[in-house]
Amino acid sequence: MSGQKPTSALIEKGFRPGNRPNMGAPVEKAANRSKTLRRLVRFFRPETKAVILLAVVVVITVVASVMAPGFQSEAIDDIVAGEFGRIPGLLLIIFITYMIHGLATLLQGFISAKLSAKIIDRLRNDLFNKIINLPISYIDTHSHGDIMSRMTNDAENVSNVISQSLSSLFSGVLTLVGTLIVMMGYSIPLTLLTCTTVVLTVITTKVMSHFMRKLYLKRQVLLGKLNGIVEEKVTDIKTVTAYNLQEETIEDFERSSDIMTKTGIIADIIGNAMGPVMNTISNISFVIVAAFGAWFAVRGDISVGVISAFIIYSKQFSRPINELAQLYGQIETAIAGAERIFAIMDETEENKSGDKDFVIDEGVIEFKNVDFSYVSGQKVINDFNLRIEAGKKIALVGSTGSGKTTIVNLLMRFYDIDSGEITVDGKNIREISSDVLRDSVGIVLQDSVLFSDTLRNNMKYADENITDEKMEEAAKLSHVYKVAERLPEGYNTFLASAGANLSQGQRQMVTIGRAFLSFPKILILDEATSSVDTRTEKHIQNAMVRLMKNRTSLIIAHRLSTIQDADMIVVMDKGHIIESGSHEELLQRKGNYYNLYMTQFAGIET
């Protein structure tokens, strides 16, 4: 659920619910590289058969690539010696070898793509499941854009590496080993000369990769921050436009974008330089083989065919190293992305433990000496005591930041209290399963939340098995039927962009109708009618009377006209109760509630 609001104490510390990049989140640091790779390997286990098949295909590809130059060497030596009898047979063998190599390479790409799709599907599912089960406190204090970036960009980077680089890594190692063995069979001295460039390649790769790793991780973090800015501004585009802050918003975006661009340019320069540097080293190897090979051939140590084979083998020997160097940037990006994904997956999930068999029959709620703070040392709820009898209608009022919505957050177990006790039907809510507790509570938040689905499915969100008859009955009680009548396909109308084709008041009416269909024992209304006009509010109030009958109701309201018939009105200030009583009693006392009431209805400044 969403719509919960931190109190002023939390806001003063810079914590806002998901609308500032990295606000409240720890600074990203690179995790252990080997540990990240080991965790990625675990996702391959369910696809063991596909991995084995891929390995077999890669072996076939490598064997074909290693054998072909040898056949070419024999053919060249026969031509030099003037023996043409075996040439047709050798040419056919070479042709078949390269055909096998081509088909195996094609199959290798197909298997890699399929394997990548399945692994990333599992990774995304696990990540989404984790995000859904994270505590509200985590979602409130982390950029929504950054979280989504890990689900999309980071997961996609991992996917690309698995599909494009996994088989290359495997075949590269086999090609190096196989080529080295064959080369040593032809000429050990020439093989050793070829390997001299490998040392230079390893040193160069190690030095350049050290800088690349830091830059690619930094770029991923900056990308998450940039996505957070975009998510915030697009979501609040009406506010940006209303205050005519388009230019300032663009400048803010461009500043963050420029920082990421500069980091990306440096990372890409180093990453793209890897290929040319490796090619230069490879060409040095080619020159060494050609020069010393010719000398060995003149001495009679090797044949011309062996020189030809060695030239191919030297290229083949350095090719995997060059490919890995060119892919290193992608690999580092994927590892950085995987680290960020696993960082979320390592977060502690919401504690939903408790008695799953407990049944909430009456809905008696009691707060006993409750203390709570969003930020350690800064209490927003202080020694709060309140008992709500079954079926009673209790209203919470007070100035902004007094802790009204926080009380709802604590009752719903969105946050855990620091001390004290909250009970429902005499049982501590910490001992009741969160699922049981929330299934017994119907809640309508100030910010109407709908989903990109049909009006019917939005109404049935609490229980998709509810009959259409009950749904339409609830629609009449909440006046949602009037909304449906104005839509082109009635209840089957698709609510684009989570209800953007409805007015704010209409969206709020749908959320109220949804609460009707949850059949709760406890009803929470957090400014439920704040977005509807006076006439619609009157209709909803009449419906609320029927809805709240025999249900414990907790109402948060700024419109005091909506709560005058409450059984008890509780006035809050700085996290504790300063007044309580009926509407008439509180007016007679001429205290804080009286001042609030007169401000709204008589225009008196307080």
Side-chain angles (χ1 to χ4, degrees), residues 225-251:
K225 180 179 179 180
L226 195 66
N227 284 340
I229 294 175
V230 174
E231 187 267 343
E232 176 190 358
K233 300 306 179 185
V234 171
T235 301
D236 299 329
I237 188 64
K238 289 183 179 179
T239 303
V240 173
T241 304
Y243 282 91
N244 198 28
L245 292 175
Q246 293 92 330
E247 293 298 326
E248 289 80 356
T249 300
I250 292 171
E251 290 175 2

Side-chain angles (χ1 to χ4, degrees), residues 131-180:
I131 292 172
I132 291 298
N133 287 287
L134 285 173
I136 294 295
S137 57
Y138 181 92
I139 304 299
D140 275 354
T141 55
H142 288 74
S143 163
H144 296 175
D146 183 62
I147 294 174
M148 289 188 289
S149 178
R150 302 185 194 214
M151 173 67 73
T152 54
N153 296 329
D154 292 333
E156 192 63 28
N157 287 333
V158 175
S159 175
N160 290 337
V161 166
I162 293 176
S163 62
Q164 299 173 11
S165 306
L166 177 64
S167 57
S168 296
L169 289 171
F170 188 30
S171 64
V173 173
L174 291 181
T175 300
L176 285 171
V177 175
T179 302
L180 182 62

Side-chain angles (χ1 to χ4, degrees), residues 161-229:
V161 166
I162 293 176
S163 62
Q164 299 173 11
S165 306
L166 177 64
S167 57
S168 296
L169 289 171
F170 188 30
S171 64
V173 173
L174 291 181
T175 300
L176 285 171
V177 175
T179 302
L180 182 62
I181 293 173
V182 174
M183 288 169 64
M184 293 183 69
Y186 281 114
S187 173
I188 293 179
L190 206 55
T191 301
L192 295 176
L193 288 170
T194 303
C195 290
T196 55
T197 57
V198 175
V199 177
L200 181 60
T201 299
V202 172
I203 293 174
T204 303
T205 302
K206 185 174 182 180
V207 172
M208 297 182 73
S209 65
H210 173 73
F211 295 100
M212 288 173 61
R213 178 167 173 75
K214 292 183 178 179
L215 289 168
Y216 279 112
L217 177 59
K218 183 178 179 181
R219 185 172 70 175
Q220 288 304 104
V221 173
L222 290 172
L223 179 60
K225 180 179 179 180
L226 195 66
N227 284 340
I229 294 175

